[in-house]
Amino acid sequence: MSKGMSETGYLSDEELDNGPGIPSEGRRRRGPVAVLECIQDIPCNPCEASCPEGAIQVGEDITNLPHLLEEKCIGCQSCLPVCPGQAIFLVDESSTEDVSRVTMPYEFLPLPEKEETVIALDRAGQELGDTTVIRVRKTDKMDHTALVTIEVPKEWSMRTRAFKLKR
Amino acid sequence: MRRCEMISVGAGPAGLAAATEAARNGVEVLVFDENDRPGGQLFKQIHKFFGSEEHHAKERGFDIGYGFLEEAEKLGVEVSLSSVVMGIYENRTMNVLIRDRIEQVRAEKILVATGASENMIPFPGWTLPGIIGAGAAQTIANIHGIKPGENLLMVGSGNVGLVVAYQMLQAGCQVSAIIDAAPRIGGYEVHAAKVARYGVPFFMSHTITEAGGEKWIESATISQVDKEWKPIPGTEKKFELDTVCIAVGLNPMTQLLDMLSCKMVPVPSLGGRVPAHDLGQETSIPGIYVAGDSSGIEEASTAIIEGRIAGLAIAHSLGYIDDSSFLEQRDRQFKSMVGLRSGSHGEARKIAKEYINAVMKG
Amino acid sequence: MRIDDHPILGTFEKGQKVSFVFDDKAMEGFEGEPIAVALRSNGVKIHRYTMRRNQPRGIFCAIGRCTDCIMVVDGTPNVRTCVEPLQKGSVIQTQVGAGPEVTRK
Ligand SMILES: Cc1cc2nc3c(=O)[nH]c(=O)nc-3n(C[C@H](O)[C@H](O)[C@H](O)COP(=O)(O)OP(=O)(O)OC[C@H]3O[C@@H](n4cnc5c(N)ncnc54)[C@H](O)[C@@H]3O)c2cc1C
Ligand code: SF4
Ligand code: SF4
Ligand code: FES
């Protein structure tokens, strides 16, 4: 077994496959859906409280892992900025072309601009390659956590979890 | 000599929560803090908090702090800053150094909510300028707005090390690595993932063996350790850098309680010697209460609840709330604590706290 | 060195820009910020040399507890510069050992 998150700081492939918050490939292909990369029993539940569709279940014991009910998720992004662990991403693999969209929280400056080329990074911070920024959202309600959507080749959609600017 | 009903030593989350809870119930409260700004650790914490809504989850630490201050002001709590409590004596009098004059104050009930101090590990070169506590890195970057250094190594993978490493990235510093002698990351994995995805490597089962440099730190050498945490020769790695942050744990600040010969219990899972206290946070010395990190290292969220419990217990013992209302309100706080003291991070603290409460009963 | 625009905190509120002197060099900082912060933003890392072994020391705790950052400020030794506010025209010197009184003997 490869080293897991408790040693490297990032999810291994096995952990990703078994996580209760990871949507199936079939669901990802049908449109934007939340990916909850949270697999440790920490006391936390703002994701559950933020979801207008009831698609995230933590339950009364707040150390339970968040479970994603993938059929209920409408991809609204409300859960992304509230997650103190920045462990929630939005993935959309519905395009008929060979591209997917990944939305992630971003708390650095400067913010990228729409259509800017940035370098996609995987969970370990390894460079995957150049990608394009599709959207940048930052509202008062998000409390300084911006959401950045980038377009990546489909095979990177479950690997891209950060990006860095080229400038 | 000035007199008042309750004094809190410390205006961190525990002290402020206790002060507001007591004041809400009618107690006259005075709070001393040696800092020139209130809030304790909260004002350095610029990340969103875990927990549930009742624990201020998803609010940033400093916003929680502002909330408390506003409430304290509304309730007429007096917060005296730049005021160091130097000693607490019999009959609950204390000497306070307020800027440059010493005042004597006496209170019927005293809460010690002095927080914690950082642990240090010695290694060759550890006194070189550029080797700083993780708390110092946070203070310098988040309060004063300068980078502690350009390129740093974080020693310690507990929540403090992880959070401060992330905050250093936000401040614009490079983080070469996070190391820990333990085989597994000590803090929350999601905190670790936040820095890992920006390329910060984790070296578990590693320790710092040397800091190099003539007048300030220019390099740090780390080595893998064996099961006894001894460095393994031949596994050295050297980083060129200008800063090392030490985040190897905190220990409760209990000097004031030691002066009173308060009963102490050694509890490693709570950070060392911890004052014994009962379910209302009262220590072995009647009228002296303790809450927050000074009663065992936990978190701001638990410090707030302990503070509220202490505030309620004080209001109750001064006769401001009757028995049934006290028990009911305290129960609500206990319930709120349950989730925070469970799971793989919280369970040990729950057991330790139960042990401390049991020691008090004798 | 200074963080101009922080992703969470925005800009930092500071006092007026003032000049001060460090070991005969003219420097600038903001009034009211800790002396150590003003020095750090000017690239100063060494605050003092220890009495017996003449070892350099700099900021360690940044909250006034460890005394690693003590310097001679306007002639007074042992001032904890991480908590002492900068004033216009302050004269700050690297402290050697216990400071001027003792070295003069
Ligand atoms: C980097 C970091 C990240 C953290 N992240 C989180 C988090 O995400 N969530 C969470 O819940 N917790 C977090 N914590 C923990 C949390 O900050 C502490 O547990 C909490 O602040 C403890 O509160 P307290 O009131 O006991 O002590 P403190 O906040 O330390 O306050 C104690 C106060 O007492 C004052 N004082 C001490 N001695 C004296 C004296 N003799 N006279 C006068 N005043 C005195 C001090 O100046 C200080 O202001 C974090 C801690 C750190 C260091
Ligand atoms: S994206 Fe919207 S619907 Fe889906 S889990 Fe998050 S909050 Fe719920
Ligand atoms: S809010 Fe984030 S860290 Fe908290 S339980 Fe949900 S996914 Fe995990
Ligand atoms: S750095 Fe510790 S007292 Fe100033």
Side-chain angles (χ1 to χ4, degrees):
Chain A
M1 215 182 90
S2 59
K3 285 188 179 179
M5 199 171 186
S6 69
E7 283 170 78
T8 60
Y10 52 88
L11 284 169
S12 66
D13 292 344
E14 285 104 310
E15 287 170 333
L16 188 62
D17 288 344
N18 298 325
I22 313 293
S24 66
E25 185 172 354
R27 174 63 191 84
R28 300 198 301 266
R29 291 198 181 251
R30 286 206 299 279
V33 63
V35 179
L36 279 55
E37 302 196 350
C38 181
I39 59 161
Q40 194 182 31
D41 53 352
I42 57 176
C44 188
N45 73 359
C47 51
E48 177 182 50
S50 73
C51 179
E53 303 295 321
I56 302 178
Q57 274 184 354
V58 174
E60 190 140 341
D61 182 352
I62 62 171
T63 54
N64 288 342
L65 301 186
H67 286 247
L68 177 74
L69 306 176
E70 61 177 33
E71 296 311 328
K72 286 193 175 177
C73 172
I74 57 164
C76 71
Q77 310 190 353
S78 307
C79 54
L80 270 71
V82 304
C83 169
Q86 295 183 22
I88 310 182
F89 305 86
L90 201 80
V91 168
D92 178 0
E93 299 178 354
S94 63
S95 167
T96 49
E97 280 155 58
D98 187 38
V99 288
S100 297
R101 289 181 174 190
V102 180
T103 303
M104 47 212 157
Y106 192 69
E107 289 191 339
F108 297 94
L109 286 179
L111 283 177
E113 279 172 26
K114 199 175 162 181
E115 278 161 38
E116 184 172 336
T117 303
V118 296
I119 304 167
L121 304 174
D122 70 8
R123 294 184 182 83
Q126 300 287 328
E127 294 187 8
L128 292 166
D130 284 359
T131 54
T132 310
V133 175
I134 302 293
R135 190 175 184 210
V136 180
R137 264 180 76 205
K138 194 172 180 180
T139 63
D140 285 350
K141 204 173 153 231
M142 289 154 68
D143 187 11
H144 299 92
T145 309
L147 293 183
V148 177
T149 305
I150 62 176
E151 195 159 75
V152 300
K154 213 163 248 172
E155 67 268 24
W156 295 354
S157 73
M158 286 305 279
R159 295 176 65 197
T160 306
R161 289 299 175 261
F163 63 88
K164 73 176 179 199
L165 304 184
K166 298 189 87 164
R167 49 182 149 125
Chain B
M1 192 194 316
R2 184 168 170 189
R3 286 158 184 277
C4 64
E5 287 184 316
M6 166 183 170
I7 287 176
S8 169
V9 187
L16 289 177
T20 48
E21 199 62 41
R24 199 193 331 278
N25 285 295
V27 180
E28 168 212 11
V29 190
L30 175 57
V31 182
F32 289 118
D33 199 295
E34 61 184 8
N35 235 303
D36 63 357
R37 57 183 91 206
Q41 298 295 324
L42 280 180
F43 278 95
K44 303 177 198 169
Q45 284 164 26
I46 60 172
H47 57 289
K48 294 180 179 172
F49 273 36
F50 290 89
S52 195
E53 191 142 4
E54 60 191 312
H55 314 119
H56 303 275
K58 81 181 193 314
E59 284 182 51
R60 295 185 190 274
F62 62 95
D63 286 330
I64 302 173
Y66 284 126
F68 270 120
L69 283 180
E70 227 170 80
E71 206 185 342
E73 196 167 313
K74 252 189 245 150
L75 292 166
V77 172
E78 183 182 339
V79 181
S80 173
L81 299 171
S82 301
S83 306
V84 189
V85 174
M86 300 192 302
I88 303 177
Y89 311 97
E90 274 169 48
N91 301 327
R92 296 181 296 280
T93 57
M94 57 172 86
N95 278 347
V96 194
L97 177 67
I98 303 177
R99 292 179 199 279
D100 42 21
R101 62 167 209 281
I102 293 179
E103 263 193 42
Q104 263 203 346
V105 196
R106 183 171 171 181
E108 283 173 56
K109 308 283 170 188
I110 295 173
L111 172 72
V112 175
T114 47
S117 56
E118 293 183 277
N119 296 339
M120 193 54 206
I121 40 163
F123 49 87
W126 71 291
T127 58
L128 279 172
I131 298 172
I132 58 176
Q138 256 192 334
T139 307
I140 295 169
N142 300 344
I143 306 277
H144 302 304
I146 60 167
K147 294 192 227 176
E150 295 300 327
N151 192 337
L152 60 93
L153 175 77
M154 180 62 67
V155 180
S157 71
N159 275 334
V160 173
L162 299 176
V163 167
V164 176
Y166 179 69
Q167 293 176 355
M168 293 303 109
L169 293 177
Q170 289 182 308
C173 313
Q174 303 272 338
V175 179
S176 302
I178 299 178
I179 69 165
D180 201 307
R184 286 176 194 282
I185 291 167
Y188 294 170
E189 289 167 6
V190 287
H191 272 321
K194 282 201 274 192
V195 288
R197 68 175 71 113
Y198 292 102
V200 177
F202 282 80
F203 291 96
M204 302 312 295
S205 300
H206 275 73
T207 189
I208 179 165
T209 43
E210 190 173 356
E214 273 293 303
K215 299 208 154 172
W216 54 77
I217 184 162
E218 291 167 24
S219 70
T221 305
I222 65 168
S223 301
Q224 207 182 319
V225 293
D226 61 20
K227 288 210 179 76
E228 271 123 46
W229 290 24
K230 292 222 175 65
I232 304 171
T235 60
E236 295 82 6
K237 278 183 206 65
K238 193 169 174 177
F239 297 94
E240 306 294 322
L241 40 69
D242 64 2
T243 306
V244 169
C245 282
I246 308 288
V248 295
L250 304 170
N251 64 81
M253 287 243 291
T254 55
Q255 290 89 334
L256 294 173
L257 294 168
D258 281 327
M259 290 173 75
L260 288 162
S261 307
C262 180
K263 184 166 181 179
M264 305 295 271
V265 196
V267 189
S269 58
L270 291 174
R273 282 173 73 251
V274 176
H277 58 78
D278 66 12
L279 286 175
Q281 301 297 129
E282 193 167 1
T283 66
S284 60
I285 314 285
I288 308 285
Y289 295 72
V290 67
D293 280 352
S294 54
S295 80
I297 308 300
E298 294 193 84
E299 296 177 327
S301 33
T302 49
I304 290 167
I305 298 175
E306 281 197 344
R308 288 199 185 119
I309 292 172
L312 287 171
I314 289 171
H316 174 241
S317 68
L318 290 170
Y320 285 100
I321 3 180
D322 63 34
D323 294 356
S324 69
S325 151
F326 165 61
L327 291 176
E328 186 198 319
Q329 292 189 57
R330 193 178 69 175
D331 249 20
R332 217 175 301 143
Q333 300 301 330
F334 285 157
K335 284 219 179 76
S336 178
M337 190 72 103
V338 170
L340 300 174
R341 285 186 184 152
S342 63
S344 49
H345 281 87
E347 188 72 24
R349 293 189 272 109
K350 172 176 163 246
I351 295 166
K353 279 284 176 177
E354 283 168 359
Y355 169 65
I356 291 174
N357 296 152
V359 168
M360 265 304 282
K361 283 197 195 125
Chain C
M1 192 101 268
R2 286 195 189 269
I3 305 164
D4 297 323
D5 197 2
H6 191 285
I8 310 301
L9 300 164
T11 52
F12 290 84
E13 254 177 64
K14 294 273 180 178
Q16 266 188 331
K17 194 173 239 183
V18 293
S19 45
F20 66 96
V21 178
F22 165 71
D23 284 355
D24 298 329
K25 287 181 283 287
M27 292 184 174
E28 282 185 335
F30 293 100
E31 193 168 30
E33 70 181 357
I35 290 172
V37 169
L39 289 172
R40 198 74 192 73
S41 69
N42 283 280
V44 177
K45 291 178 179 168
I46 300 171
H47 288 224
R48 67 180 178 105
Y49 290 91
T50 57
M51 183 136 47
R52 279 197 213 112
R53 292 203 268 160
N54 204 38
Q55 288 177 331
R57 291 281 189 276
I59 301 176
F60 178 70
C61 73
I63 49 168
R65 282 194 190 146
C66 72
T67 68
D68 270 5
C69 68
I70 55 173
M71 301 179 88
V72 184
V73 177
D74 296 324
T76 309
N78 302 329
V79 176
R80 292 169 307 164
T81 54
C82 68
V83 289
E84 186 70 22
L86 179 71
Q87 279 164 16
K88 190 177 164 186
S90 291
V91 177
I92 296 143
Q93 290 164 279
T94 306
Q95 180 162 331
V96 179
E101 264 86 353
V102 177
T103 31
R104 238 181 268 132
K105 275 181 198 163

